[in-house]
Amino acid sequence: MYRYFIQPILDKYKDSLVGYEMLIREYVNGHWQLPQCFSALPKQVQSELLVTVAQKLSRKIGFVYFNLTWEQFLDNEFAQILIKTQKEISPVHLVIEIIEEPVQINYSFEQIIQQFNFYRQHGALITLDDVGTGINTLENIRCFFPYIFGLKFPLQNFRAEGRQEQIITELAVWEKLQLLIILV
């Protein structure tokens, strides 16, 4: 059994709630836990749960953030399901957040850009997770900036790595890009 738990996304300048990140959990042995493999989650189940939660929240928020691996993002069948989901939850905007998870298949730059454009043409927005850490370095993702809505800057990753003193300097670099920056 799966369920979404929600994490609020706040606009610190307007001091207001703008959306929720949908965090999927799986019920195993009497506890809700992070699924072991996001790519193995049933697509239709994720979509149905997302529609249910987004419709309940639609009068309170403008955005729901939905995590995808690169493989899920590039899966054409999943893309069709999510575009249908976007239509069902409108006027709430679906924000697809691409998470860092190892990719098993090599995709071309053209395939990635084509998928960015497909989602954008159908009203979905794209963010990249964990920028500034792991493989989501400025050098590696700069080419995607024309196609994305925002970036998630992982304060918790810096803290977990004992690099909290670098947060201000690193964040300043990302803020100069004039993209939406979400702090987590």
Side-chain angles (χ1 to χ4, degrees), residues 85-132:
T85 301
Q86 171 61 76
K87 290 176 183 171
E88 289 181 42
I89 67 172
S90 184
V92 175
H93 290 279
L94 177 64
V95 181
I96 295 169
E97 181 178 320
I98 304 172
I99 64 171
E100 278 192 309
E101 187 174 277
V103 177
Q104 305 301 321
I105 302 168
N106 287 329
Y107 295 96
S108 71
F109 180 74
E110 290 76 22
Q111 287 173 296
I112 295 169
I113 299 307
Q114 183 178 16
Q115 201 71 332
F116 276 132
N117 287 330
F118 175 79
Y119 278 109
R120 283 180 30 184
Q121 289 167 358
H122 290 91
L125 304 169
I126 311 293
T127 61
L128 299 178
D129 194 21
D130 290 346
V131 299

Side-chain angles (χ1 to χ4, degrees), residues 122-183:
H122 290 91
L125 304 169
I126 311 293
T127 61
L128 299 178
D129 194 21
D130 290 346
V131 299
T133 63
I135 62 170
N136 280 348
T137 63
L138 184 57
E139 180 180 301
N140 288 343
I141 64 172
R142 182 185 296 275
C143 58
F144 301 138
F145 291 172
Y147 308 96
I148 62 174
F149 173 67
L151 305 166
K152 278 186 83 178
F153 186 84
L155 300 171
Q156 77 276 2
N157 291 8
F158 282 85
R159 291 181 184 119
E161 296 168 1
R163 301 186 309 141
Q164 48 272 33
E165 72 282 347
Q166 296 175 4
I167 290 174
I168 300 294
T169 307
E170 280 289 317
L171 186 54
V173 170
W174 292 97
E175 286 179 327
K176 288 179 186 175
L177 301 172
Q178 297 184 345
L179 289 166
L180 174 68
I181 305 291
I182 302 157
L183 304 176

Side-chain angles (χ1 to χ4, degrees), residues 54-101:
Q55 287 176 339
K56 287 180 182 176
L57 299 171
S58 66
R59 292 190 176 171
K60 299 177 183 175
I61 57 165
F63 302 94
V64 289
Y65 285 68
F66 181 75
N67 294 328
L68 289 182
T69 64
W70 276 104
E71 288 180 31
Q72 290 170 319
F73 175 75
L74 292 161
D75 178 324
N76 290 325
E77 178 188 356
F78 206 2
Q80 293 294 333
I81 290 169
L82 291 175
I83 294 310
K84 182 177 179 269
T85 301
Q86 171 61 76
K87 290 176 183 171
E88 289 181 42
I89 67 172
S90 184
V92 175
H93 290 279
L94 177 64
V95 181
I96 295 169
E97 181 178 320
I98 304 172
I99 64 171
E100 278 192 309
E101 187 174 277

